Amino acid sequence: MKLDLLLRNAEIITMDPARPVAGSLGIWQGRIVGLDEDLDGLDALQVLDLGGATVTPGFIDAHCHTTWFGLGLAELDVSGARGLEELYGLLRGAVSSAGAGTNADDAEGWLFATGFSQTQHGGSFPDIAELDRITGERPLFMRHNSGHMAVVNTAALRLAGAESASFPDPDGGAIVRDAAGRPTGLVQETAQELIQQLILPYSLEDIEAALERATLYYASEGITSFTEAGVGGGWIGHSPAELAAYQSTSANGRLHARAQVMPVLDVLHGLGGHASDSAGAAPAGLDLGITSGFGNEYLSLGPAKVFLDGSLLGETAAVSHEFCSHGHKDNRGNVGYFQADPAQLRERIEAAYAAGWSIAAHAIGDRAVDLAVDIITDCQAVYGQRRLPNRIEHASMTRPEQLARLADAGIAVTPQASFFREGGDGMTASLGPDRLPWAYRAASFLGAGVMLAGSSDRPVADGNVLRGMQAFVDRRTGSGAVFGNPAERLTPHQALAAYTSGAAAATGSLSEKGTLTPGKLADFTVLSASPLTAPAISELHVLATAVGGRFTYQSTHFHAEPSSESPYASRVSAGRVSATQSS
């Protein structure tokens, strides 16, 4: 037997407790054949000497927004602006330069911007009057980096018919107005859909290009798998046919990481069928009864995504105690809100669960976590467990007594450590000292036996996995303070597990990936040194990334030139890595 690829002289961290470390790894037809002595006597079409570089399982981002991120890579990025005058300057430049920041195929001339956060501007939002002076009659849609609000101008509100003071707020959202009833330009939660319905759907061609841009970026950061947290509808979707874009991108070799895709609950519908098909609620799903898990090892369907509440940064999360007043913000009586009536949410979630779907409930505040756990545990009691774990997305505020409930129900959680640096100081002011220990738990989740998945919520927050691991370990905010409870810090090994074996378990794929174990998919990341011992994990470099044994990324210190011997064969020509070819 001749292997396709053999890695030698490496520090291999397998994340498999049965065999934690190795020095060599063999790959054949996209899967791991063996480690070290398993490979004795075996030859390979390509042999790479890694010169002591570290190999880990490929990184898994268990919650991100890949289409959104990819589209944003082609839009005006305002995330670097500090102070509103800098922001206004970027917008003026985009308006004055032909087509800058716009979709070239958009006949309406929309100006799209991404990456805004008031935290970058001393807590201030843009003045709509100034936005109108800059943009004139050109409609503006500027996404907030939380995804839970956006900034628009009067032209956009006028197109939506929402300019009048008498226009009602939609359920689960708000058109923010001043004391005189005039719109400020801020639209929150479901109110964003009033504007987005003028823009959507994006063409499948645009989505495919966005997916390629995004996943090439992922590969450069060591990411080999990700979960797209909501497609097909609602304010998070980009086209009713978004899954078709994923299929086409994958089929054409333009998807550079494995994708698990969550449809939003909005796109599920009644299925009918035989009366015996469900033990309780009338099932609601996708046509032909397709449910969570459908697909293959490269592209599959995940749980159904449902939004229960808003965000901590926007102070719209459903919490049990009001947000603290801070700065000029009076939060008396503000306990956030649910995205819909809880009874309606329960009915819709049960219908999806009855059809066979796992559930991924966006629940930020502890009151929303209560609702999510109540509904999911009731569904599990009636219909049983699902093969793909049920999940609570973010689980940002969890009271101590909620930990055991999550563990007992087998519910996975996806808290994002990437929020700490940019948003940690603001969330500290909103929550106050009494509740701060409940925020973005990590160690206590693991201690209680809760499945913890590493994720970014990109582009809401920084998606770099090495920086995410660092944040789990040190929990530092932008001011240098430790966010929340210092006891929630993870060890480097636990942080690496969150983005490998933990994320694989939470996405229902641990039998296929997440550890470098014989028989599993050959997804791996090559790092400049070990994240378990490095003084600063965030300063490590990704040298190479491989999906199924094929390199999706190689840095200039790990450059391979194709050889005709094998689709895997290459000759490493730079850096610490050397290669030998066998005949």
Side-chain angles (χ1 to χ4, degrees):
M1 176 183 180
K2 179 171 280 193
L3 302 174
D4 293 313
L5 176 63
L6 176 59
L7 305 180
R8 285 180 174 164
N9 191 20
E11 182 181 356
I12 300 172
I13 304 170
T14 69
M15 301 308 292
D16 181 350
R19 190 170 191 171
V21 296
S24 300
L25 182 146
I27 296 165
W28 182 68
Q29 294 194 354
R31 291 189 177 263
I32 299 167
V33 171
L35 302 160
D36 291 347
E37 69 274 5
D38 302 337
L39 308 173
D40 289 348
L42 295 179
D43 202 352
L45 293 175
Q46 181 189 20
V47 180
L48 295 182
D49 184 318
L50 297 189
T54 298
V55 177
T56 71
F59 298 152
I60 302 171
D61 188 333
H63 179 117
C64 56
H65 303 282
T66 304
T67 303
W68 173 10
F69 175 63
L71 289 168
L73 290 174
E75 295 174 350
L76 175 66
D77 182 5
V78 300
S79 62
R82 294 297 182 269
L84 291 179
E85 285 307 315
E86 281 192 27
L87 174 68
Y88 296 147
L90 289 175
L91 293 173
R92 289 189 191 99
V95 170
S96 63
S97 59
T102 66
N103 182 333
D105 296 328
D106 188 349
E108 297 300 319
W110 281 81
L111 175 58
F112 297 119
T114 189
F116 170 78
S117 175
Q118 73 276 18
T119 61
Q120 300 155 349
H121 309 286
S124 298
F125 288 87
D127 181 349
I128 192 171
E130 183 62 27
L131 294 178
D132 291 344
R133 280 190 286 272
I134 293 170
T135 58
E137 290 303 307
R138 185 176 183 180
L140 166 72
F141 184 77
M142 181 163 59
R143 295 179 190 260
H144 191 276
N145 67 0
S146 71
H148 288 267
M149 62 183 88
V151 174
V152 300
N153 61 358
T154 299
L157 289 166
R158 188 177 300 125
L159 285 172
E163 182 184 7
S164 168
S166 62
F167 189 88
D169 287 337
D171 289 340
I175 302 168
V176 179
R177 302 177 185 278
D178 63 19
R182 295 183 295 262
T184 65
L186 183 63
V187 288
Q188 295 178 330
E189 306 298 345
T190 59
Q192 295 177 92
E193 295 180 44
L194 298 169
I195 310 301
Q196 288 177 306
Q197 66 185 358
L198 305 171
I199 302 165
L200 299 174
Y202 285 85
S203 72
L204 296 184
E205 181 180 357
D206 284 343
I207 296 174
E208 289 173 28
L211 292 175
E212 182 171 36
R213 281 193 297 269
T215 56
L216 282 170
Y217 200 103
Y218 289 3
S220 72
E221 295 181 336
I223 295 171
T224 56
S225 293
F226 65 94
T227 294
E228 170 74 89
V231 302
W235 62 262
I236 202 66
H238 296 88
S239 167
E242 204 161 348
L243 183 61
Y246 261 97
Q247 288 183 285
S248 178
T249 309
S250 177
N252 294 329
R254 301 173 69 189
L255 193 65
H256 304 286
R258 303 184 195 275
Q260 181 187 70
V261 179
M262 294 180 181
V264 296
L265 198 67
D266 309 53
V267 305
L268 307 187
H269 55 81
L271 294 175
H274 195 276
S276 65
D277 291 346
S278 175
L286 298 181
D287 291 328
L288 302 179
I290 295 171
T291 61
S292 301
F294 180 81
N296 57 35
E297 62 196 29
Y298 214 92
L299 174 61
S300 64
L301 288 174
K305 170 76 176 294
V306 56
F307 287 91
L308 299 189
D309 69 344
S311 75
L312 281 182
L313 287 174
E315 297 178 340
T316 57
V319 292
S320 57
H321 299 82
E322 65 188 25
F323 290 101
C324 296
S325 298
H326 54 95
H328 299 294
K329 184 73 176 287
D330 183 358
N331 268 321
R332 285 174 293 183
N334 179 18
V335 292
Y337 51 85
F338 291 115
Q339 295 277 302
D341 178 76
Q344 292 178 331
L345 289 167
R346 175 181 287 272
E347 182 179 356
R348 295 176 61 209
I349 292 170
E350 185 178 359
Y353 203 92
W357 287 91
S358 300
I359 298 298
H362 168 111
I364 298 280
D366 62 307
R367 192 157 54 99
V369 171
D370 276 335
L371 180 62
V373 175
D374 287 346
I375 295 174
I376 290 173
T377 54
D378 288 348
C379 285
Q380 290 180 167
V382 175
Y383 304 101
Q385 294 276 0
R386 294 284 175 250
R387 186 181 68 81
L388 267 61
N390 294 300
R391 300 169 37 159
I392 294 183
E393 306 307 301
H394 314 297
S396 307
M397 292 290 293
T398 48
R399 302 188 308 275
E401 69 271 17
Q402 291 174 321
L403 298 176
R405 294 193 68 201
L406 290 165
D408 291 344
I411 297 172
V413 296
T414 63
Q416 286 81 28
S418 48
F419 286 150
F420 300 159
R421 181 161 296 278
E422 289 293 330
D425 292 320
M427 289 187 288
T428 297
S430 291
L431 297 175
D434 292 340
R435 284 177 296 169
L436 200 55
W438 305 352
Y440 286 95
R441 296 179 182 272
S444 60
F445 279 138
L446 295 177
V450 179
M451 276 186 284
L452 173 68
S455 68
S456 68
D457 205 18
R458 188 188 339 230
V460 176
D462 182 11
N464 183 285
V465 171
L466 292 171
R467 289 195 289 267
M469 290 172 58
Q470 183 71 56
F472 267 131
V473 170
D474 64 28
R475 297 181 69 89
R476 294 290 179 184
T477 70
S479 69
V482 175
F483 178 70
N485 185 353
E488 294 292 349
R489 288 168 165 164
L490 297 183
T491 67
H493 189 275
Q494 289 171 327
L496 177 58
Y499 288 97
T500 55
S501 55
T507 55
S509 58
L510 186 56
S511 63
E512 288 285 280
K513 57 191 175 186
T515 68
L516 297 177
T517 302
K520 289 191 177 184
L521 296 165
D523 298 353
F524 62 87
T525 302
V526 183
L527 301 175
S528 55
S530 170
L532 305 186
T533 57
I537 300 171
S538 59
E539 295 180 8
L540 298 178
H541 299 288
V542 174
L543 300 179
T545 307
V547 176
R550 295 177 183 269
F551 289 108
T552 55
Y553 169 77
Q554 296 170 85
S555 77
T556 55
H557 297 290
F558 193 104
H559 178 67
E561 299 174 356
S563 165
S564 60
E565 291 184 76
S566 162
Y568 298 97
S570 59
R571 184 177 300 105
V572 175
S573 58
R576 300 167 56 204
V577 184
S578 62
T580 58
Q581 301 289 339
S582 63
S583 57

